């Protein structure tokens, strides 16, 4: 996995952003190092701390560095002169919180530095899409699960639709298959987007009751589509337990 470094003026801010991202990936996160604060409770950043953080998580897969604002960028740039590693290190211009979450999820799925870098830089797209006027709905007859060749239509039953946690679960699950999957919101006409893109999935704005269309190609496409369909039918584990006494 690639390494991720978080540079912030505030240790509390950095830790909170990382904790949010880690909630999405469970027990197999990528290597993450935090370089936050200037020591002794001073708000600021320190280039030597950033260099040490880079060296801590560096590997042949590369390192992606996130910065919050102002002098964090300067410190990260200076750190490139101080670091000991000769592996590739990139400074990301992604939005701080959204970029970190997107990067951690995709890196945990084994994506390359190029893929994680691109995903994190697009991390604001989903928010922009949600704030824009929604396209006219396409009327599609809802179905629970109908498999057709390498595709399946599933009606979302989890209360909050495809929000960040189910999206992260999809990205993680798809890493196990040799297949390329896409997801579209058949109810609104949005998509398709890559099933291994957290930001793409969120951009669908798929809510409970919407029909998502999952399609796939590749040697394990049928298995991957079936697995993702089963996750959706199960509500991505978010359905309330209705057993008596539960």
């Amino acid at each position: 996995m690639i390494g991720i470094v978080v540079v912030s003026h505030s240790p509390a801010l950095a830790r909170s952003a990382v904790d949010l991202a880690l909630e999405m990936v469970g027990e197999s996160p990528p290597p993450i190092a935090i370089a936050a604060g200037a020591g002794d409770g001073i708000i600021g950043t320190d280039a030597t701390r950033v260099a040490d953080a880079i060296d801590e998580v560096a590997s042949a897969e590369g390192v992606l560095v996130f910065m919050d604002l102002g002098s964090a960028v300067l410190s990260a740039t200076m750190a490139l002169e101080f670091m000991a590693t000769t592996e590739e290190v990139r400074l990301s211009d992604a939005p701080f919180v959204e970029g970190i979450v997107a990067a951690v999820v995709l890196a945990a799925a084994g994506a390359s530095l190029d893929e994680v870098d691109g995903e994190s830089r697009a991390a604001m797209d989903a928010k922009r899409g949600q704030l824009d006027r929604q396209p006219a709905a396409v009327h599609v007859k809802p179905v629970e699960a109908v498999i057709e060749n390498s595709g399946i239509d599933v009606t979302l039953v989890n209360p909050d639709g495809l929000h960040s946690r189910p999206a992260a679960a999809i990205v993680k699950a798809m890493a196990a298959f040799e297949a390329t999957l896409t997801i579209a919101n058949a109810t609104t006409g949005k998509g398709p987007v890559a099933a291994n893109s957290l930001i793409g999935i969120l951009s669908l704005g798929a809510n409970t009751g919407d029909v998502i269309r999952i399609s796939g190609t590749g040697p394990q496409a049928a298995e991957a589509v079936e697995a993702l369909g089963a996750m959706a039918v199960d509500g991505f584990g978010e359905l309330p337990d209705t057993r008596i006494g539960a």
Side-chain angles (χ1 to χ4, degrees), residues 74-161:
L74 177 61
S75 293
T77 303
M78 292 176 61
L80 300 181
E81 303 297 325
F82 302 151
M83 65 187 189
T85 184
T86 57
E87 305 295 350
E88 183 175 5
V89 177
R90 295 186 192 176
L91 306 184
S92 175
D93 60 0
F96 191 67
V97 176
E98 292 89 344
I100 291 170
V101 171
V104 168
V105 169
L106 197 56
S112 68
L113 180 60
D114 284 342
E115 292 170 325
V116 176
D117 185 20
E119 176 82 352
S120 61
R121 284 189 284 107
M124 287 298 289
D125 290 352
K127 183 182 290 183
R128 293 190 184 101
Q130 289 174 321
L131 293 175
D132 288 340
R133 180 177 297 176
Q134 298 297 310
V138 176
H139 297 290
V140 177
K141 181 180 179 181
V143 292
E144 181 180 359
V146 179
I147 298 178
E148 297 179 355
N149 299 321
S150 60
I152 185 173
D153 281 5
V154 186
T155 300
L156 292 175
V157 293
N158 54 309
D160 297 313

Side-chain angles (χ1 to χ4, degrees), residues 34-61:
I34 293 175
D40 297 324
I42 298 174
I43 295 293
T45 57
D46 183 299
T48 58
R49 290 190 176 195
V50 178
D52 289 344
I54 291 171
D55 288 333
E56 178 184 337
V57 300
S59 71
E61 283 73 23

